[in-house]
Amino acid sequence: MRLVIARCSVDYVGRLRAHLPLAVRLLMVKADGSVLIHSDGGSYKPLNWMSPPATMRSLEPDETDAEAGVTEVWNVQSAKTDDRLIISIHERFSDVSHDLGTDPGLIKDGVEADLQRLLAEQINRLGEGHTLIRREYMTAIGPVDILARDATGATVAVELKRRGDIDGVEQLTRYLELLNRDPLLAPVRGIFAAQQIKPQARVLAEDRGITCLTLDYDAMRGVDDRDSRLF
């Protein structure tokens, strides 16, 4: 992984257009080809990024950029689309690289891991006609718990929690924003699934077009006879 701290401006060009004005930022270049731009705020969410597969070229600035103080231009080109991330570097303060080796991946606690496995096995709990694509679908910003297709063939991303709060909705929102950049998957809708979903999280999810699903862990494990309940 390469970590560069630099004063730079950033432009995303393609189906979406976005501009980050000149400021000091952290540029993260991963071995899988992804490039992420971070500020010193906003938690772990990058300001912008290019997901893999992508190729990055370091170019000399043209005459206009050079006069504006640009010393180097990174052109990050998506291999799947015409989208480009253009990073104009004015000053570099730090540039280090580290070999992180092979990561074993996220190990979830027992209940959440079981929920993921059970929902993958009982994918029709998402709705009739759903089929599983895969568990732990990797993206540049982390794994989506479950990726599936609905009865119409549309892609569905599922974020699983024991207790669903606003942070979980924000996490799923970031995954959806990234996944919808991939023309092979888009359009992608989201399902926020948990044993309990806080009212504020439900309101935020529904406002963003995300479906909420409450999961009965005991019923999914087959240890709860719902028909024998009094309430």
Side-chain angles (χ1 to χ4, degrees):
M1 180 181 291
R2 182 183 179 189
L3 303 172
V4 178
I5 297 176
R7 180 176 289 109
C8 62
S9 61
V10 182
D11 291 278
Y12 195 99
V13 180
R15 291 163 296 163
L16 301 174
R17 286 185 172 267
H19 174 71
L20 294 171
L22 188 63
V24 177
R25 299 186 177 93
L26 168 64
L27 310 177
M28 182 182 297
V29 183
K30 294 188 176 182
D32 63 4
S34 57
V35 179
L36 301 90
I37 297 96
H38 287 271
S39 66
D40 203 16
S43 186
Y44 54 84
K45 181 180 179 181
L47 299 171
N48 213 325
W49 66 89
M50 179 63 73
S51 55
T55 56
M56 187 182 84
R57 292 186 301 152
S58 178
L59 307 172
E60 293 291 329
D62 60 26
E63 185 176 344
T64 301
D65 285 342
E67 290 178 356
V70 177
T71 60
E72 183 181 359
V73 178
W74 290 4
N75 189 313
V76 187
Q77 176 68 57
S78 169
K80 294 183 177 180
T81 69
D82 292 331
D83 290 6
R84 287 184 300 146
L85 192 64
I86 302 169
I87 304 172
S88 301
I89 298 174
H90 288 243
E91 186 176 4
R92 199 186 307 182
F93 301 103
S94 176
D95 189 342
V96 295
S97 296
H98 298 278
D99 183 357
L100 303 186
T102 302
D103 192 276
L106 179 67
I107 300 175
K108 301 190 175 185
D109 67 71
V111 173
E112 194 168 318
D114 282 346
L115 279 171
Q116 184 191 101
R117 175 182 57 80
L118 290 167
L119 186 56
E121 294 171 355
Q122 304 168 31
I123 200 68
N124 273 352
R125 289 183 181 271
L126 301 180
E128 195 66 34
H130 280 70
T131 56
L132 177 69
I133 296 176
R134 66 166 297 169
R135 295 167 55 187
E136 298 287 331
Y137 183 87
M138 187 56 64
T139 75
I141 56 175
V144 177
D145 286 327
I146 288 179
L147 201 68
R149 295 197 186 279
D150 65 18
T152 68
T155 310
V156 180
V158 183
E159 180 63 27
L160 279 162
K161 301 292 183 186
R162 282 190 300 169
R163 295 178 179 85
D165 57 19
I166 285 177
D167 285 346
V169 177
E170 293 286 4
Q171 184 179 356
L172 178 54
T173 300
R174 289 189 289 274
Y175 287 143
L176 291 171
E177 183 180 354
L178 180 61
L179 292 170
N180 273 301
R181 289 184 180 180
D182 188 339
L184 298 179
L185 297 176
V188 184
R189 65 180 180 89
I191 295 179
F192 188 52
Q195 289 177 273
Q196 298 175 345
I197 300 177
K198 293 183 178 180
Q200 301 94 328
R202 187 179 294 274
V203 169
L204 179 61
E206 292 175 352
D207 182 66
R208 295 181 176 179
I210 294 171
T211 302
C212 291
L213 175 65
T214 302
L215 298 174
D216 188 325
Y217 182 47
D218 287 337
M220 293 174 74
R221 291 189 298 161
V223 299
D224 179 34
D225 183 2
R226 302 189 65 174
D227 294 333
S228 65
R229 291 182 185 178
L230 295 177
F231 51 87

